[in-house]
Amino acid sequence: MSSKFQLIDLSYLESIADGDNEILAELINIFLDQVPEYEDGFDTYFKEKNWKDLAALAHKAKSSVLSMGMEKLGNE
């Protein structure tokens, strides 16, 4: 495994894509598109002390992070 991808394990996504690299790329791109949404939402909800929406977004982000194989980050 390349040191560049030490935190990412695409095994789960590869199993879903079943060898279709286009689907794999699409799943990765969906995740990458979601990252700014998570960052903005965390910042906004925290500043507003909107704990309910912050918790819901954290749950959604955790699922996305775990699907990318980032077990350590997803379980912290």
Side-chain angles (χ1 to χ4, degrees):
M1 176 182 289
S2 167
S3 62
K4 183 177 177 182
F5 298 110
Q6 289 181 353
L7 300 177
I8 299 171
D9 177 2
L10 296 178
S11 300
Y12 174 70
L13 291 183
E14 289 171 339
S15 71
I16 292 172
D18 196 30
D20 188 332
N21 287 333
E22 288 183 30
I23 292 174
L24 181 60
E26 181 66 24
L27 293 170
I28 293 168
N29 284 324
I30 289 169
F31 173 78
L32 293 173
D33 289 342
Q34 290 174 329
V35 171
E37 170 192 335
Y38 298 147
E39 290 176 330
D40 293 343
F42 288 144
D43 187 49
T44 299
Y45 296 145
F46 184 78
K47 285 178 182 175
E48 295 173 352
K49 298 183 180 181
N50 184 343
W51 311 127
K52 181 180 176 184
D53 288 338
L54 181 65
L57 184 61
H59 180 73
K60 180 180 176 184
K62 178 178 180 173
S63 298
S64 296
V65 165
L66 289 173
S67 72
M68 291 295 293
M70 294 183 250
E71 295 289 328
K72 184 177 178 185
L73 179 61
N75 290 313
E76 287 186 353

